[in-house]
Amino acid sequence: MPLRKYRATIKDIATRTGVSANTVSRTLRGLPHIHPETRQRILEVAKQLNYKRNLLARSLVLKRTESVGVVITDTSNPNYSRIIRGVEDYLYQHNINLMVSSSIGDEVRERSVIDLFLERAVDGMIVTPTMKSFAAIEEIVRRHVPLVLTNRYFKGHPMDAVRVDNVNSIKRLTHYLLDLGHERIVYFGGHEYVTTAEDRYVGYRKAMQEARRKPAPAVFCGTAREPDKVNRALVKLLRGKSRPTAILCYNDDLAVEVMHRLLDMGLSVPEDISVAGFDDIDMAAMLRVPLTTVAQPTYLIGRKAAELLLRRINGDMADFPQQILLETNIMVRASTGPPPAR
Amino acid sequence: MPLRKYRATIKDIATRTGVSANTVSRTLRGLPHIHPETRQRILEVAKQLNYKRNLLARSLVLKRTESVGVVITDTSNPNYSRIIRGVEDYLYQHNINLMVSSSIGDEVRERSVIDLFLERAVDGMIVTPTMKSFAAIEEIVRRHVPLVLTNRYFKGHPMDAVRVDNVNSIKRLTHYLLDLGHERIVYFGGHEYVTTAEDRYVGYRKAMQEARRKPAPAVFCGTAREPDKVNRALVKLLRGKSRPTAILCYNDDLAVEVMHRLLDMGLSVPEDISVAGFDDIDMAAMLRVPLTTVAQPTYLIGRKAAELLLRRINGDMADFPQQILLETNIMVRASTGPPPAR
DNA sequence: CTGAAAGCGCTTACAG
DNA sequence: CTGAAAGCGCTTACAG
């Protein structure tokens, strides 16, 4: 049994001031045509009762909640929490509340948190889809609730999205390795159903083709959260007849894992094998062997997504669907170098 | 102008089914005493209209929003975002929405986000106070909105709180250093108005006193976000007549900063000087010199806070005010060792 | 400049 | 088993 909290209402102020609720409401909202004395009395009583408006009631009539929902893979992962912070800072300026939920890459949880946001009548959503199902996303669209995707996107479903150009980023990174003299470069890790992993593989292939090298098949062996799978794939890769001289990892978490495995095996990075990642996580520069990687503007992704979403919420549908691609930076560090001499 | 979204209501279902709104409502909530045929018709129409309940309206009458607000220093900092994730996972099981806001250590922003949560009528809040003012927190209490603090607390204001025992944790860490033979140990960094920093200094002093060593004055020189201040303090410390053989840093971010400065100066860690931190951030184990530190159960702090908060929201005031102290772990790594021989 | 009434989409007694 | 009415705390036309 919840404790009964007293909360002054507009009506309370009205009766104590001897005016109507209408007048109180208009005064509180700063609308004109209120007699100065009336206004002052109302304001005084409001303060005295410690009045705070009830946004619930307001939202119900306005059909606008001034709240936005973010569904993201994992709120505790800095790659995502920085996006959240970017969203948050922008929304804060507009007095809009932010609800967050982690999908943890699980389509059931994804569906469930999206449904709850829908029931809660958020004005819009920003989501990094799990990509395991389109149903939940489709439901948002069907209900005409403004939606901006981040990081990933669905092919053949034109929707607003903010992300980096994964294809091009990895292409540049691959060219950098090619220029160092590498020939046997492998794309390693990630899930093929996630567009980021797929796009990165595409970028790698493009670079290889441009350099007239034969691309190697991608090793979609999962993420750092599945270390056993990753390890098996890595061992297999190294045992193959033509061992790669460079490994492009799906992301930094994986690259850290891979690099440490290699070092544990007694190999040297980058002397025996170069390793590169994606994300530029905090520890990348601090590692025993600082990691070459691609820096994503995560905070900015969040901010841009929030900006676009608010435009949509306010009815501005210009350039729909809009794909905002943000710039990445190749951070060259010690984990990559020329291939070993033959 | 927001686009007009169509949304089926209970009334829509009622008219199309030829029953009253009451009956629809009771059916949808799974209450008994509904004729099976009526129920089925209602359920069918609801599905057909793609009905989703409007939690806003529900909350208004129930005086319960099934939402909770979290105010934390910085949602993008893993030390905090893991707390959020702990809160989130627990709330998810109870179908409660989570709103988050960063105070960024700024009392104005803190006040403002708390006020918005209050207007939004959250059922309760979890906050890591900035400690720069008590007013915002007091407002929550005054309105009888359930509140659980995390990490920090206000002296002389008994409130529910979940945190680690900073005093004891640092005491143990200091004893470990004393046992290694250190005599000149310094507590470094943080702000004196933050209870965590203060408590850590107290813990250090206690250990020193127990070992009959003279505690050194704390160097409250701020956090890693104020690198210049920190650096000046560090240089001054090292130039002093009795240079410390070990530095206990307020947190890991600071310890990383300090350690790298020392290495840059050509000093060896831990041969010339030992360095320890607090938090066990991800990179701590991966650094060039892996960092000795205190691991906090951040996820669990969030989870426990959420558990306690839900109990309070449900009217269970047992053991109020409750102070939940969670266990820490001293992670001994390479950044600490015996002091240099004289 | 101000008020009475209706309504947002639900739930809750109260009848029948 | 079902319905009519009132009400949650606001805002919005509409009068005056």
Side-chain angles (χ1 to χ4, degrees):
Chain A
M1 58 198 69
L3 33 142
R4 181 144 295 301
K5 293 161 239 169
Y6 171 72
R7 215 183 202 254
T9 69
I10 277 190
K11 216 166 154 189
D12 293 329
I13 300 177
T15 56
R16 271 171 228 235
T17 325
V19 300
S20 71
N22 185 342
T23 305
V24 176
S25 173
R26 304 191 61 241
T27 303
L28 261 21
R29 277 177 293 151
L31 296 188
H33 309 306
I34 306 285
H35 191 95
E37 276 183 24
T38 315
R39 148 165 294 132
Q40 179 159 0
R41 275 214 327 283
I42 290 174
L43 259 21
E44 261 166 23
V45 174
K47 171 164 247 174
Q48 181 184 314
L49 293 181
N50 200 14
Y51 173 79
K52 218 174 247 314
R53 54 187 185 160
N54 184 331
L55 254 22
L56 243 42
R58 186 167 202 270
S59 300
L60 192 57
V61 7
L62 260 36
K63 293 184 176 307
R64 217 211 216 233
T65 55
E66 305 281 318
S67 70
V68 156
V70 169
V71 181
I72 216 155
T73 309
D74 176 5
T75 53
S76 69
N77 180 329
N79 292 320
Y80 296 110
S81 63
R82 288 201 181 114
I83 294 181
I84 293 177
R85 181 65 201 283
V87 173
E88 192 204 325
D89 287 356
Y90 189 74
L91 294 184
Y92 171 65
Q93 296 172 1
H94 297 262
N95 273 289
I96 292 176
N97 269 125
L98 170 63
M99 308 190 161
V100 297
S101 284
S102 302
S103 63
I104 58 171
D106 172 16
E107 62 181 305
V108 175
R109 182 150 164 176
E110 176 183 45
R111 176 69 200 231
S112 145
V113 300
I114 284 177
D115 278 349
L116 198 52
F117 281 160
L118 253 14
E119 293 188 325
R120 193 82 54 194
V122 294
D123 293 334
M125 289 193 219
I126 293 172
V127 4
T128 303
T130 62
M131 307 299 288
K132 285 177 181 158
S133 153
F134 186 56
I137 301 297
E138 199 173 23
E139 186 66 27
I140 302 173
V141 176
R142 193 215 300 212
R143 289 175 182 276
H144 303 289
V145 172
L147 168 67
V148 175
L149 299 184
T150 54
N151 299 25
R152 336 229 256 222
Y153 60 98
F154 291 94
K155 289 178 185 161
H157 295 282
M159 304 166 68
D160 285 322
V162 181
R163 58 192 175 86
V164 298
D165 187 337
N166 287 287
V167 174
N168 201 44
S169 300
I170 286 284
K171 208 174 104 177
R172 280 159 58 211
L173 183 56
T174 307
H175 271 300
Y176 151 77
L177 289 170
L178 287 164
D179 291 347
L180 282 177
H182 288 274
E183 298 182 359
R184 297 194 302 282
I185 308 173
V186 165
Y187 173 81
F188 192 85
H191 292 285
E192 41 193 328
Y193 60 84
V194 178
T195 46
T196 42
E198 201 187 324
D199 285 355
R200 287 169 201 176
Y201 182 42
V202 169
Y204 152 82
R205 281 211 314 267
K206 281 200 180 171
M208 293 298 268
Q209 279 154 4
E210 285 172 4
R212 309 199 179 285
R213 298 279 168 220
K214 193 169 163 238
V219 184
F220 287 115
C221 57
T223 69
R225 305 217 126 199
E226 302 145 297
D228 292 343
K229 273 179 72 179
V230 168
N231 194 37
R232 277 197 300 276
L234 182 60
V235 167
K236 193 172 158 201
L237 188 64
L238 294 176
R239 284 215 185 113
K241 42 201 166 218
S242 56
R243 179 200 277 181
T245 58
I247 301 183
L248 287 179
C249 294
Y250 169 59
N251 66 14
D252 283 357
D253 289 337
L254 191 64
V256 170
E257 181 79 18
V258 163
M259 194 163 76
H260 285 162
R261 298 268 187 196
L262 294 174
L263 297 175
D264 289 349
M265 290 176 195
L267 292 169
S268 296
V269 175
E271 290 76 6
D272 294 317
I273 189 161
S274 286
V275 177
F278 206 105
D279 285 344
D280 195 26
I281 60 177
D282 284 340
M283 73 173 72
M286 310 287 196
L287 294 168
R288 213 166 358 144
V289 181
L291 185 67
T292 293
T293 186
V294 179
Q296 296 201 56
T298 44
Y299 179 89
L300 198 60
I301 289 177
R303 187 180 179 91
K304 289 288 179 194
E307 282 179 28
L308 181 53
L309 185 67
L310 284 213
R311 280 182 39 212
R312 296 311 186 214
I313 288 175
N314 291 322
D316 171 4
M317 294 305 282
D319 306 315
F320 177 88
Q322 194 162 341
Q323 295 275 327
I324 300 181
L325 291 188
L326 300 176
E327 291 299 312
T328 56
N329 267 310
I330 310 282
M331 314 297 288
V332 173
R333 300 206 181 93
S335 71
T336 49
R342 317 214 181 180
Chain B
M1 56 198 71
L3 35 142
R4 182 142 297 298
K5 294 160 237 169
Y6 171 71
R7 215 182 203 253
T9 69
I10 277 190
K11 216 165 155 190
D12 294 330
I13 300 176
T15 56
R16 271 171 228 235
T17 326
V19 299
S20 72
N22 184 344
T23 305
V24 175
S25 173
R26 305 191 60 241
T27 302
L28 260 21
R29 277 177 293 150
L31 295 188
H33 310 305
I34 306 285
H35 191 94
E37 276 182 23
T38 315
R39 148 166 293 133
Q40 180 159 359
R41 275 212 328 280
I42 291 173
L43 260 22
E44 260 166 23
V45 174
K47 170 163 248 176
Q48 182 186 314
L49 293 181
N50 200 13
Y51 173 79
K52 218 174 249 313
R53 53 187 186 161
N54 184 331
L55 253 23
L56 243 44
R58 187 168 201 268
S59 299
L60 192 59
V61 5
L62 261 36
K63 291 181 177 309
R64 214 210 219 236
T65 55
E66 307 281 317
S67 69
V68 156
V70 169
V71 182
I72 215 154
T73 309
D74 176 5
T75 53
S76 69
N77 179 328
N79 292 320
Y80 296 110
S81 64
R82 287 201 182 115
I83 295 181
I84 292 177
R85 181 66 200 281
V87 172
E88 193 204 325
D89 286 355
Y90 188 74
L91 294 184
Y92 171 64
Q93 296 172 0
H94 296 261
N95 273 289
I96 293 176
N97 268 125
L98 171 61
M99 307 188 157
V100 297
S101 284
S102 302
S103 63
I104 58 169
D106 171 16
E107 61 182 305
V108 175
R109 182 150 165 177
E110 176 183 45
R111 177 68 201 230
S112 144
V113 300
I114 285 178
D115 278 350
L116 198 52
F117 281 160
L118 253 14
E119 293 187 325
R120 193 83 52 193
V122 294
D123 293 333
M125 289 193 219
I126 293 172
V127 4
T128 302
T130 62
M131 306 301 288
K132 285 178 181 157
S133 152
F134 186 56
I137 301 295
E138 198 173 23
E139 185 66 25
I140 303 173
V141 175
R142 192 215 300 212
R143 289 177 182 275
H144 303 290
V145 173
L147 168 67
V148 175
L149 300 183
T150 54
N151 298 25
R152 336 228 257 222
Y153 61 97
F154 291 94
K155 289 177 184 162
H157 296 282
M159 304 166 70
D160 286 322
V162 180
R163 57 191 176 88
V164 298
D165 187 338
N166 287 286
V167 174
N168 200 44
S169 300
I170 287 284
K171 210 175 102 177
R172 281 159 58 210
L173 183 56
T174 308
H175 271 300
Y176 151 76
L177 289 170
L178 287 164
D179 291 348
L180 282 177
H182 288 274
E183 298 182 359
R184 298 195 302 282
I185 308 172
V186 165
Y187 173 81
F188 191 86
H191 292 285
E192 42 194 327
Y193 59 83
V194 178
T195 47
T196 42
E198 201 187 324
D199 285 355
R200 286 169 200 175
Y201 182 43
V202 169
Y204 152 82
R205 282 211 314 267
K206 280 200 180 171
M208 293 298 268
Q209 279 154 4
E210 285 172 4
R212 309 200 178 285
R213 299 277 169 222
K214 192 166 165 243
V219 184
F220 288 114
C221 57
T223 69
R225 303 217 128 198
E226 300 145 298
D228 292 343
K229 273 180 71 180
V230 167
N231 193 38
R232 277 197 301 274
L234 183 60
V235 167
K236 194 173 158 202
L237 187 64
L238 295 175
R239 286 216 185 114
K241 43 200 166 220
S242 57
R243 179 200 277 181
T245 59
I247 301 183
L248 286 178
C249 294
Y250 169 58
N251 66 14
D252 283 355
D253 289 337
L254 191 63
V256 169
E257 181 80 17
V258 164
M259 194 163 76
H260 285 163
R261 298 268 186 196
L262 294 174
L263 296 175
D264 290 349
M265 291 176 194
L267 292 169
S268 296
V269 176
E271 290 76 6
D272 294 317
I273 190 162
S274 286
V275 176
F278 206 106
D279 285 343
D280 195 26
I281 60 177
D282 284 340
M283 73 173 70
M286 310 287 197
L287 294 167
R288 214 168 353 147
V289 182
L291 185 67
T292 293
T293 186
V294 178
Q296 295 201 57
T298 44
Y299 179 89
L300 198 60
I301 288 177
R303 187 182 179 89
K304 289 287 179 195
E307 282 179 29
L308 181 53
L309 185 66
L310 283 213
R311 280 182 40 212
R312 297 310 186 215
I313 288 174
N314 291 322
D316 171 4
M317 293 304 281
D319 307 314
F320 178 88
Q322 194 161 338
Q323 295 275 327
I324 299 181
L325 291 188
L326 299 176
E327 292 298 313
T328 56
N329 267 310
I330 310 283
M331 314 296 288
V332 174
R333 301 207 181 93
S335 70
T336 50
R342 316 208 181 189

